[in-house]
Amino acid sequence: MILERLKEIVGEDYATDDDAICTSYSRDQHFHFVPKKKPAFVVRPGDREEVREILIFANENRIPIVPWSTGINVRGLTIPEFQGSILLDLSRLNKIEINEEMMTATVEPGVTFALLTQEAKKYNLRAAYPDAPLTAGVLTNNYLRGIYQTSVIDGHDHLLSFEMIIPNGEIIQTGSRALNRDLPYFRYGLGPDIAGLMSASPGTWGVVTELTLKLYKLYEKRSSYFIGFEDVEKSIDLVRKMAREELVSSCRLVDNQSWLIGMCGSFEFEYDKLPNFVVCLLIDGLDGIFQAKDKIVRELIEDSGGRLLDIPESFKDNFERETLGGTERSCMVFGIRGNYHCIGLYGPLKYVPEYYELHRKTAREVGIPEDYVYFYVNPIARFHGQLCYVELDIFYDGSDFDLAEKLKEYNKRQMKNLLDLGIYGWFRPYAGIIEPSIERAGYLTELWKRFNEVVDPKHIMNPGKLW
C-alpha cells in the first residue's frame, strides 16, 4: 500500500523498496558511531508539490521521513533510526537561479557546489565553500550552518531565506519571502527570525525545498602566505591580528600534516620538515586596496616571530583556487589513512591552545597514537567574541575496529571535557553531542522540543536524531 501510493505521487521509476537500492542508503562515514540501518522505501520526488504530497501521506500514516539531498553525509544524520522509514532523496530537485544584481543564488536541495560554482563564475561571483567535496549539497550545508572554513571574511551566516514544507503540507516562507516570494533577499522579514530558529536541525522540522544564499565577488588580485610556528600560542597571536583587522580573505591555522596537504593539493612534499603549526593567509581585493592590505599583512608577518615558508607556487595556486574558486582538494586528506573522525566546535581563539592540548591528552588516555591526532582552526568574521571554528581530528583506518572502540571512548570523554572547559556550541547536532549538551541548556531544551512539537506533532521528521 505504501509503495503503491508513493509511485502514484512520483511515478513508477522514482519509488522503490528494492533491497539493494535501500541498502545503499544504510550507512555513511560515521558508521562506527551510527549503526547501519536501511530505509524501507526510497522515493525521489521531482518537484515541491510531490514533496508536499509525500509528507501529507506520511504524516497521515505516521511513517518516518528521512530527508536526503546529495548524499555527502559524514555524521549519520540521514541514517534511519526506525524500521519502515521513507528515505526522501531530493537530488532531482536541482534548479539554480543566480541574481547578479542582488548577489544571491536560489537553489534546490539537489544543487551541488560544483553546479553552483559553474553558474556563479559566469557572473564573476562565488559562494562560501565548506571543506567538503564539490558534490556536497549547497542547500544542506547552508541550512545546517556548515559554511565557515575557507574564507574568513565571508563570515558565518550566508543564509537569507528559505521555503520549508512541514508534515501537514503547509508551506513556510521565511524572511522577506514571507511577504513576497519574489523578494527572498532579506533574512529578517515579518515577525521573528524563523530561518534562524529552524536552521541547524537535521531534517526534524520539515523539508527545505528552496533556499536563497549570499554570493561574493571574485577578485583577480590575490596573494598568499604560509607562516610557520613551533608554538601554537605564538601562531594564534598572528591569527588574532589578521582577524581583528579584517585584512585577509582566508586565515587558517593548521598542523604541518593533515589539512595542509589538502590545501596544498599534493602528497609530494616533506611536510614533516615544516614547523609544527602553519598559518595560511590569502589576500584579495580591488587594485589599490589589495596592495595596501598586502603591505600591512607583510609587515605583520615580519613582526610575528614566525617563519615565512618557501612553498611551491603550485601549492599557493591550489590554496587560492580552493578558498575562492571551489576547486576542493581538501578531502584528499582522507587518503592519509582512509577515514577520519572529528569533533567540530565553535569557541574563542584564546581557548585554542587548551582545546589542542585537551585533544592530545584525551586521545593519549584512550590509547590513540599521537601521530593520528590533528587539528585546524578558522577565525570567522566579524571577530566579535574571537569567534572561531575549531576541528579536532583523528585520521584512522576505518577497518580497524579496535581503534574504533577507542574513538567511541574518546568521543564520550571529550564531549564532556569540552563542555567543562567552555565552548560556544557544536558544528552540527550529530551523534554523540546532543545527549551531554541538552542537560546543560536549561529550559532552552524544553522550548526547542515544544517548538518542534508544534510543527511535527506526530514525530515523523527524521525521528531519533535529536531526541
Side-chain angles (χ1 to χ4, degrees):
M1 175 263 191
I2 295 175
L3 183 59
E4 286 71 18
R5 178 60 185 136
L6 293 175
K7 288 183 176 181
E8 286 177 8
I9 296 171
V10 300
E12 185 76 22
D13 295 335
Y14 299 111
T16 185
D17 62 354
D18 179 82
D19 187 65
I21 293 175
C22 291
T23 298
S24 70
Y25 293 86
S26 67
R27 58 171 269 179
D28 67 10
Q29 175 267 348
H30 219 53
F31 63 91
H32 287 305
F33 296 87
V34 180
K36 65 179 180 180
K37 184 184 289 290
K38 66 182 179 182
F41 309 95
V42 173
V43 59
R44 301 176 60 224
D47 57 40
R48 71 171 184 163
E49 185 54 35
E50 291 182 356
V51 173
R52 182 173 173 274
E53 288 189 52
I54 293 166
L55 289 184
I56 292 172
F57 169 68
N59 195 49
E60 289 173 347
N61 293 277
R62 295 181 180 268
I63 305 169
I65 289 281
V66 180
W68 187 99
S69 58
T70 62
I72 308 301
N73 308 302
V74 294
R75 296 293 181 272
L77 295 179
T78 63
I79 307 304
E81 294 284 337
F82 296 95
Q83 298 291 347
S85 297
I86 296 173
L87 192 294
L88 189 65
D89 182 337
L90 300 162
S91 58
R92 291 179 63 210
L93 281 70
N94 58 5
K95 293 178 183 175
I96 310 175
E97 179 186 326
I98 305 292
N99 190 314
E100 181 182 13
E101 181 183 22
M102 298 296 182
M103 293 179 64
T104 63
T106 298
V107 300
E108 292 184 331
V111 173
T112 64
F113 278 97
L115 292 171
L116 178 57
T117 297
Q118 185 179 30
E119 289 301 307
K121 279 185 176 179
K122 296 175 182 177
Y123 304 95
N124 206 35
L125 296 171
R126 63 171 177 83
Y129 296 102
D131 271 325
L134 286 175
T135 47
V138 176
L139 184 150
T140 305
N141 274 272
N142 279 275
Y143 174 69
L144 288 177
R145 293 206 303 253
I147 313 291
Y148 43 75
Q149 297 119 315
T150 52
S151 183
V152 57
I153 206 164
D154 293 348
H156 186 276
D157 292 316
H158 316 289
L159 186 163
L160 292 169
S161 67
F162 60 74
E163 169 186 275
M164 175 184 284
I165 304 174
I166 61 177
N168 66 2
E170 293 289 344
I171 299 175
I172 297 173
Q173 305 286 352
T174 72
S176 55
R177 62 165 66 215
L179 297 178
N180 189 329
R181 193 165 179 269
D182 293 329
L183 291 173
Y185 311 115
F186 186 52
R187 173 75 169 263
Y188 308 102
L190 179 68
D193 178 17
I194 298 299
L197 172 67
M198 289 183 159
S199 64
S201 293
T204 54
W205 299 96
V207 176
V208 180
T209 50
E210 186 177 272
L211 181 145
T212 301
L213 62 136
K214 302 173 186 177
L215 296 178
Y216 303 92
K217 287 190 66 176
L218 277 171
Y219 296 99
E220 292 185 5
K221 294 286 185 180
R222 301 175 186 173
S223 61
S224 55
Y225 302 97
F226 295 73
I227 307 94
F229 295 86
E230 296 297 345
D231 182 82
V232 69
E233 291 270 8
K234 292 181 180 178
S235 67
I236 67 171
D237 185 56
L238 178 61
V239 171
R240 182 185 297 111
K241 290 176 181 176
M242 294 298 168
R244 285 181 68 94
E245 302 304 328
E246 299 184 0
L247 290 166
V248 296
S249 296
S250 184
C251 177
R252 311 178 75 178
L253 168 60
V254 296
D255 55 63
N256 66 1
Q257 300 289 316
S258 67
W259 291 100
L260 185 62
I261 295 172
M263 286 188 288
C264 292
S266 173
F267 286 105
E268 304 302 319
F269 191 74
E270 293 179 319
Y271 295 99
D272 57 342
K273 294 187 178 180
L274 297 176
N276 291 329
F277 304 97
V278 180
V279 176
C280 310
L281 303 175
L282 171 61
I283 305 101
D284 74 336
L286 290 170
D287 198 17
I289 296 174
F290 164 77
Q291 282 84 355
K293 289 196 296 184
D294 190 56
K295 180 175 182 294
I296 296 170
V297 167
R298 284 175 174 270
E299 291 170 354
L300 289 173
I301 291 172
E302 189 173 341
D303 293 341
S304 71
R307 174 159 63 93
L308 189 61
L309 302 178
D310 185 16
I311 296 290
E313 287 300 316
S314 62
F315 289 11
K316 294 180 180 179
D317 289 344
N318 189 76
F319 175 50
E320 293 173 14
R321 286 197 302 271
E322 176 185 297
T323 302
L324 302 176
T327 306
E328 188 62 80
R329 295 188 184 180
S330 287
C331 292
M332 66 187 292
V333 297
F334 298 145
I336 294 175
R337 289 189 181 86
N339 204 347
Y340 94 121
H341 170 70
C342 91
I343 295 178
L345 61 101
Y346 300 107
L349 180 65
K350 70 177 185 177
Y351 281 18
V352 163
E354 293 177 81
Y355 294 145
Y356 176 64
E357 288 305 321
L358 188 59
H359 180 37
R360 297 177 65 203
K361 176 176 179 291
T362 308
R364 186 167 55 247
E365 287 174 351
V366 301
I368 295 173
E370 187 171 355
D371 61 349
Y372 283 34
V373 179
Y374 307 98
F375 94 127
Y376 79 80
V377 178
N378 295 85
I380 301 169
R382 315 301 289 254
F383 199 50
H384 304 293
Q386 295 189 347
L387 178 60
C388 289
Y389 171 75
V390 181
E391 189 164 295
L392 309 178
D393 295 317
I394 295 173
F395 290 83
Y396 70 104
D397 180 350
S399 66
D400 186 342
F401 284 85
D402 178 60
L403 186 66
E405 291 303 311
K406 294 177 182 178
L407 272 178
K408 291 177 184 178
E409 181 61 26
Y410 164 87
N411 214 46
K412 181 181 176 181
R413 295 188 191 187
Q414 191 71 317
M415 296 298 181
K416 181 181 183 301
N417 291 341
L418 289 166
L419 288 167
D420 288 344
L421 174 59
I423 65 171
Y424 288 149
W426 303 110
F427 162 58
R428 286 179 185 165
Y430 53 86
I433 70 166
I434 290 295
E435 297 83 355
S437 303
I438 56 176
E439 61 190 43
R440 304 188 186 215
Y443 194 69
L444 173 64
T445 299
E446 182 63 25
L447 198 60
W448 190 0
K449 288 181 178 179
R450 290 192 182 190
F451 283 148
N452 222 143
E453 185 83 19
V454 170
V455 176
D456 181 23
K458 295 183 180 179
H459 308 289
I460 70 161
M461 294 307 307
N462 211 3
K465 289 305 176 187
L466 289 179
W467 25 69

